[in-house]
Amino acid sequence: MEESPLSRAPSRGGVNFLNVARTYIPNTKVECHYTLPPGTMPSASDWIGIFKVEAACVRDYHTFVWSSVPESTTDGSPIHTSVQFQASYLPKPGAQLYQFRYVN
């Protein structure tokens, strides 16, 4: 079974993707855990995308899911949350490298 490579983008704006596996098993969902830095105000219009590593534009995503917005946050504390990517929307197995990116 060939696995597909996935990595985390360099931290931009302080968003930190946690426990990112180097590959994922095809036909299984992928859970993406991340932490938003203190002072970040998440919005219902924020999203997590899977991008080819070389993608230069936010419109060049492979797939995305809307980020989760916690019901309550403690001011000054980081926000830990996660989203799930359904298996049918993930990139097909191959040599192409992909990464998570947080878009607000």
Side-chain angles (χ1 to χ4, degrees), residues 6-11 16-21 98-100:
L6 188 62
S7 68
R8 75 175 115 181
S11 182
N16 188 25
F17 293 98
L18 308 170
N19 303 319
V20 177
Y98 291 87
Q99 60 188 194
F100 293 120

Side-chain angles (χ1 to χ4, degrees), residues 7-92:
S7 68
R8 75 175 115 181
S11 182
R12 292 182 187 157
V15 176
N16 188 25
F17 293 98
L18 308 170
N19 303 319
V20 177
R22 295 191 55 76
T23 60
Y24 70 90
I25 299 170
N27 301 315
T28 61
K29 64 185 175 186
V30 169
E31 192 161 1
C32 172
H33 293 266
Y34 59 98
T35 301
L36 300 174
T40 302
M41 298 299 296
S43 165
S45 62
D46 296 351
W47 50 280
I48 307 294
I50 295 178
F51 291 80
K52 290 181 180 179
V53 169
E54 67 274 5
C57 177
V58 70
R59 290 173 288 198
D60 292 339
Y61 62 88
H62 176 82
T63 190
F64 77 94
V65 293
W66 298 107
S67 66
S68 55
V69 178
E71 291 183 24
S72 64
T73 61
T74 305
D75 289 338
S77 297
I79 300 169
H80 304 285
T81 191
S82 66
V83 295
Q84 286 189 352
F85 289 90
Q86 295 304 313
S88 60
Y89 294 103
L90 294 173
K92 300 295 181 217

